[in-house]
Amino acid sequence: MEQTAKLIVDGKTYELPIVVGTEGERGIDISRLRQETGLITLDPGYANTGSCKSGITFMDGEKGILRYRGIPIEQLAEHSTFTETAYLLLNGELPTREQLTNFSILLNDHSLVHEDMREFFENFPRRAHPMGILSSMVNALRAFYPQLPESSEDENVNVMSTRLLSKVRTMAAMSYKISKGHKVVYPRHDLTYAANFLNMMFDSPVLPYRIDEVLVEGLNVFWILHADHEQNCSTAAVRLVGSARVNLYAAISSGISALWGPLHGGANQAVVEMLKEIQANNGDVKPFIKRAKDKKDPFRLMGFGHRVYKTYDPRARIMKKVCDKVLNRLKQKDELLDIAGKLEEIALKDPYFIDHNLYPNVDFYTGIFLQALGIPINMFTVMFAIGRLPGWISQWRESIDDPQWKLHRPRQIYTGSKERDYVPMKDRNSSKGKP
Ligand code: CMC
């Protein structure tokens, strides 16, 4: 029997259908609300708004659950590779051996970047942020590969998806090499996706890069953990921009821009900067905890809190183990990891953090891992972006196939001036005028 919710407005009762998801989560379908009642809902930040139905990723923020296509993140992190997980997200099922081989061949085939694009890279100011460069370059792909799919069934959708997955990784490494004024290293057919990336970043004519399987495994896990996260800010941006039926490159470019923000993907960089600040402050975490709790201070403990997780982020738990393993392998002791541990210990016992349900999120440990790999700090968010690509592309593909597809166009409650007349310049009182 269909469940409904009752809404009473001005004495009149409206019945609104309740939609139930496969994991039992429930939402009130208000798609006919305005038509029937003349009212809209107001939900700043969309914290209570479901923008779509999706069969890709399930998360339960209260229980700390994350699953891609039904498979728990813990199992994927333990057994899968990033390439296999990307296939799963894009196609809905784990690949057979043959399907995975074909997918890897396709990724290799599309790994090179058009040589003319190098000029673009070289003309960005040396200090330009790599996320700005990446978002512009992804948008520019449209000009280099103008053939767009006619429909979602078109084989070109697969080609565009693999092109993005493969080329964004190459472009990220390329921008790093160019920013250093070093020779660009090309992708190699004989290397796996993650090993290829590390080689393109760190191989040099004077010092060949030695690929270490523990680092490759760590990078695979890092990217798997970032591969999708249902309707987060950047994915919502991809869906919103994509809803105007713009091409995939432009939609992904907007996702990259959204991810850049320090409250979203930029947090991994912000965490390491914060930990370094604590280090410079003799490793004393208490003043930082105090500042984070002070309502008059805009400072926040970076890497803590999440819009959906109200418990420990399952990705943070996995990432912490990866950090330990990689640092052990490199025989490194990172003082920042100790500071992070101290911060976590104190914050988790503090009533402010307990009452606000603030726990470490994935970004709390990823910066330390990326630093151990040798990734420069301004490339951290680019690493997140490479990982999030399969999610963005899968969500875009799902949205263009959605029978309930609609142009995203939220409404508002207007709070500005009532209607008033235009005042000619000569009659305006400058002392009253604002700017
Ligand atoms: N440090 C101190 N206080 C915090 C923090 C924090 N990191 N996060 C939230 N709060 C407080 C906030 O001050 C507010 O307090 P009050 O209700 O007393 O005014 C309350 O918690 C709710 O905050 P909010 O900003 O309304 O909550 P939100 O759900 O919009 O915030 C968040 C989610 C991730 C933006 C926020 O927790 C934050 O800014 N965290 C730090 C940045 C960060 O680590 N971002 C990475 C997110 S995980 C990666 C990803 O998936 O993008």
Side-chain angles (χ1 to χ4, degrees), residues 121 124 129-140 167-169 171-172 175 253 256 381-383 385-386:
F121 277 110
F124 275 103
H129 195 286
M131 283 299 274
I133 300 179
L134 192 66
S135 135
S136 319
M137 296 308 281
V138 167
N139 217 342
K167 286 194 197 318
V168 166
R169 172 201 53 171
M171 292 193 308
S175 63
S253 166
I256 295 171
T381 317
V382 169
M383 299 298 289
I386 299 173

Side-chain angles (χ1 to χ4, degrees), residues 263-264 295 300-301 303-307 352 356 361 363:
L263 295 191
H264 190 13
K295 284 286 140 233
R300 284 187 166 194
L301 215 52
F304 262 76
H306 197 274
R307 173 62 62 79
Y352 173 90
H356 285 77
N361 60 51
D363 288 318

